[in-house]
Amino acid sequence: MSESLLQLLSYFLLAAIYLFLFIVTRVAVRELKPQPVVIVGAPNDAGMVSRKPSKNKATGTGLLGLTPEAIAGERFEVANESTLGRAPGCTIVLTHDTFISQVHVRLTRQNKNFFIEDLKSTNGTLVNNKKIEGLTRLKKGDRVTIGRSVFEVVK
């Protein structure tokens, strides 16, 4: 190989290394930056927003935890608008899974319809093993994957 070709390849390698470092830094900063959180949800009897999963038989739309064991069998009730993530300000707080972003998804109910929206999470959100983009309607029985956690839509 000629010396000029080797020098050109070394420049491309250096550019690829810088691009990789830029992407890694950008993702790390985005995850570490505090996320704006709006606490929404149905207040309980004490007037506080419920952040714990419900084990009661409920009549509203919600998510039933399937995997991992930390959430298996837990039912998470969804208010008219709820957020799900690791941040303490989320309506549904899931700290067991580090692949869930601080504020990962927004869940909304409008009349009898149930919607999910990914909030630019790092790892994305899957509905029935398909990555969602924008507002997506959920139906009873749909499988929702958030991080490494899998939920089933229940009514």
Side-chain angles (χ1 to χ4, degrees), residues 11-106:
Y11 287 138
F12 278 120
L13 179 62
L14 186 62
I17 290 170
Y18 279 122
L19 179 64
F20 174 76
L21 290 174
F22 172 75
I23 291 170
V24 167
T25 304
R26 191 172 130 229
V27 168
V29 167
R30 193 168 110 192
E31 275 298 306
L32 294 175
K33 186 168 52 170
Q35 300 288 328
V37 177
V38 178
I39 299 174
V40 294
N44 61 17
D45 295 335
M48 300 296 290
V49 174
S50 175
R51 293 192 176 115
K52 293 187 177 179
S54 170
K55 291 187 179 181
N56 302 334
K57 268 195 166 179
T59 57
T61 305
L63 298 174
L64 178 66
L66 300 178
T67 60
E69 279 187 43
I71 61 165
E74 298 284 346
R75 182 183 171 105
F76 301 90
E77 288 300 312
V78 177
N80 287 339
E81 185 172 330
S82 301
T83 53
L84 184 147
R86 291 189 345 248
C90 288
T91 312
I92 301 171
V93 179
L94 298 173
T95 57
H96 71 280
D97 188 347
T98 58
F99 285 83
I100 295 176
S101 296
Q102 293 294 316
V103 183
H104 199 102
V105 295
R106 178 180 296 122

Side-chain angles (χ1 to χ4, degrees), residues 105-119:
V105 295
R106 178 180 296 122
L107 301 157
T108 55
R109 285 193 310 183
Q110 298 172 0
N111 301 323
K112 294 183 179 182
N113 296 319
F114 186 35
F115 298 94
I116 189 168
E117 178 183 12
D118 187 89
L119 299 176

